[in-house]
Amino acid sequence: MEPGGRGPRDVAALLAPGRCRVVGVLNVTPDSFSDGGRWMAADAAVAHAQAMVAAGADLVDVGGESTRPGAQRVGADEEARRVLPIVERLAAAGVAVSVDTMRADVARRAVQAGAVVVNDVSGGLADEAMAAAVAATGALFVVSHWRGHSDVMTSRATYTDVVADVVAELAAARDRAVAAGVPAERVVLDPGLGFAKVGEHDWALLRSLDRLRALGHPLLVGASRKRFLGALLAGPDGAAPPAPERDAATAAVTALAAHAGAWGVRVHDVASSAAAVRVAAAWADPAAERPG
Ligand SMILES: Nc1nc2ncc(COP(=O)(O)OP(=O)(O)O)nc2c(=O)[nH]1
């Protein structure tokens, strides 16, 4: 973890009881499904991250490789070149930063640059060195449900009982991480919406957050702008609205997930989900939101 000791304090703050965390998405990629190319310039990326913090983001998740179905993999050097300077600048500015990577070396270097969370959509499966690398850093480890890279994930979207299967496979990924040295209390789980899942699977998992939470870890939900929301909002012609027009639906999922006890939500539009989190908190306990 960062020699200055920033990390443990940030990790403790992120795990402390409180409202559902809002994780702002910062894709420094040319091809992310909803905002590819917008934040490739470092100054634009840093400004957008600061704007997300101002809008209520508790954490900024910096990713340098699109994981959308069919995406081409990015080389390790290019991924590092994209994310590390941004991680360093944001951490130096006091922003709590997560690195969205499937590579142990990128994760290690990002934590050295000041990241306090390693967010691995593969749950440690894509790089067998990942869990041990995270264990050595003191960072929080987000372990998502995953069944393979973008080129195969669609073909693997078959389940006997998607909730039972995802719970079992997530538990196995968690167990692998703990066996590699990551303390269980530093593991956050994520159902991996859209990863080897079709819309009915995503909805089934959202309806069953309680069964995912029963695994005993904070739960991160990444529904923002995803295909299952586009399908829900499709017009009479069946055409889904473009990804940036799915933020209202994303905020509704945020409110419901927060109310169901999610630890955090990973979103592109922070302001709407930050408001949704506050609505959920006030709904649960009016005193929670009394000003002052
Ligand atoms: N923990 C977690 N991380 C994630 N990272 C990327 C994406 C995909 O969304 P996005 O980053 O916007 O798209 P792309 O992968 O095309 O960059 N989804 C998740 C998610 O659901 N959970």
Side-chain angles (χ1 to χ4, degrees):
M1 184 57 81
E2 179 62 19
R6 241 178 66 77
R9 201 168 61 240
D10 284 295
V11 168
L14 285 170
L15 290 176
R19 281 201 299 255
C20 178
R21 272 39 176 208
V22 177
V23 181
V25 177
L26 181 63
N27 287 319
V28 284
T29 64
D31 59 342
S32 286
F33 83 92
S34 89
D35 57 359
R38 293 194 59 189
W39 318 115
M40 288 295 281
D43 288 349
V46 170
H48 182 56
Q50 298 278 24
M52 289 196 287
V53 170
D58 300 288
L59 188 69
V60 173
D61 188 36
V62 182
E65 178 178 38
S66 173
T67 54
R68 76 191 188 288
Q72 293 299 311
R73 295 245 38 206
V74 168
D77 292 344
E78 173 61 12
E79 182 187 9
R81 188 193 62 77
R82 290 176 179 177
V83 303
L84 295 181
I86 305 301
V87 170
E88 188 162 14
R89 280 180 62 176
L90 291 176
V95 174
V97 179
S98 165
V99 61
D100 187 347
T101 184
M102 294 184 273
R103 292 189 169 101
D105 185 53
V106 172
R108 187 185 304 113
R109 292 166 68 188
V111 173
Q112 283 168 354
V116 291
V117 177
V118 174
N119 173 27
D120 180 354
V121 296
S122 80
L125 288 175
D127 183 339
E128 62 182 9
M130 175 64 91
V134 174
T137 67
L140 280 184
F141 190 28
V142 178
V143 172
S144 286
H145 178 262
W146 191 78
R147 282 189 165 180
H149 285 289
S150 302
D151 56 342
V152 298
M153 66 165 71
T154 304
S155 66
R156 294 183 181 170
T158 57
Y159 298 87
T160 308
D161 169 341
V162 62
V163 175
D165 295 348
V166 168
V167 165
E169 291 167 30
L170 261 184
R174 181 273 315 276
D175 292 346
R176 279 192 300 275
V178 170
V182 181
E185 62 272 16
R186 283 206 266 114
V187 172
V188 173
L189 297 179
D190 182 318
L193 300 180
F195 290 89
K197 296 171 190 79
V198 297
E200 65 182 87
H201 300 142
D202 298 321
W203 288 115
L205 288 163
L206 286 172
R207 285 188 207 104
S208 305
L209 293 184
D210 55 331
R211 289 173 61 186
L212 290 159
R213 289 187 61 212
L215 286 168
H217 297 268
L219 202 56
L220 179 64
V221 173
S224 187
R225 298 180 173 178
K226 286 188 175 175
R227 187 173 304 184
F228 76 100
L229 292 179
L232 178 76
L233 300 172
D237 61 356
E245 293 174 23
R246 303 172 190 171
D247 288 331
T250 300
V253 171
T254 291
L256 291 166
H259 190 63
W263 166 81
V265 289
R266 182 179 178 277
V267 296
H268 301 84
D269 182 74
V270 167
S272 57
S273 276
V277 161
R278 301 188 66 150
V279 165
W283 191 288
D285 172 9
E289 287 300 298
R290 191 167 294 135

